Amino acid sequence: MWLLIGLIAIVATFLNLYMFIKGKDYKLAMAMGLSFTALTLCTEYSLVSYWIKNEDWPALWEVPNFEKVLWFLTTVSILLNIAPIFFERKRQ
């Protein structure tokens, strides 16, 4: 589930950037990109919670690797989604 939601977040982020470049209203796409990024993080948290409840210790050994990737991808998603706002302000 997290993979599907993550892919939707990526598509919404690129849609946001595309709409900004084309001069169209990008704010809904920006909100969708940020929202699906947040939902992706929630599903990842739920996955780890599931592993703990089922005492799946080998799966939990991968959590430190996921943490670094999630921090990086979340930061990139936030920066890409809010970039049009900064570019728009710079133009004015």
Side-chain angles (χ1 to χ4, degrees), residues 29-77:
M30 178 180 62
M32 288 176 48
L34 291 171
S35 297
F36 278 102
T37 298
L39 289 172
T40 302
L41 292 173
C42 290
T43 57
E44 280 293 324
Y45 189 85
S46 295
L47 179 63
V48 172
S49 176
Y50 174 80
W51 289 341
I52 291 170
K53 287 177 186 173
N54 290 311
E55 297 181 2
D56 189 355
W57 307 122
L60 286 171
W61 283 106
E62 295 300 318
V63 171
N65 298 331
F66 281 123
E67 177 193 13
K68 294 171 188 154
V69 172
L70 286 175
W71 272 106
F72 175 75
L73 291 175
T74 302
T75 303
V76 169
S77 176

Side-chain angles (χ1 to χ4, degrees), residues 2-12 40:
W2 65 268
L3 185 60
L4 176 64
I5 295 173
L7 289 174
I8 293 170
I10 291 169
V11 169
T40 302

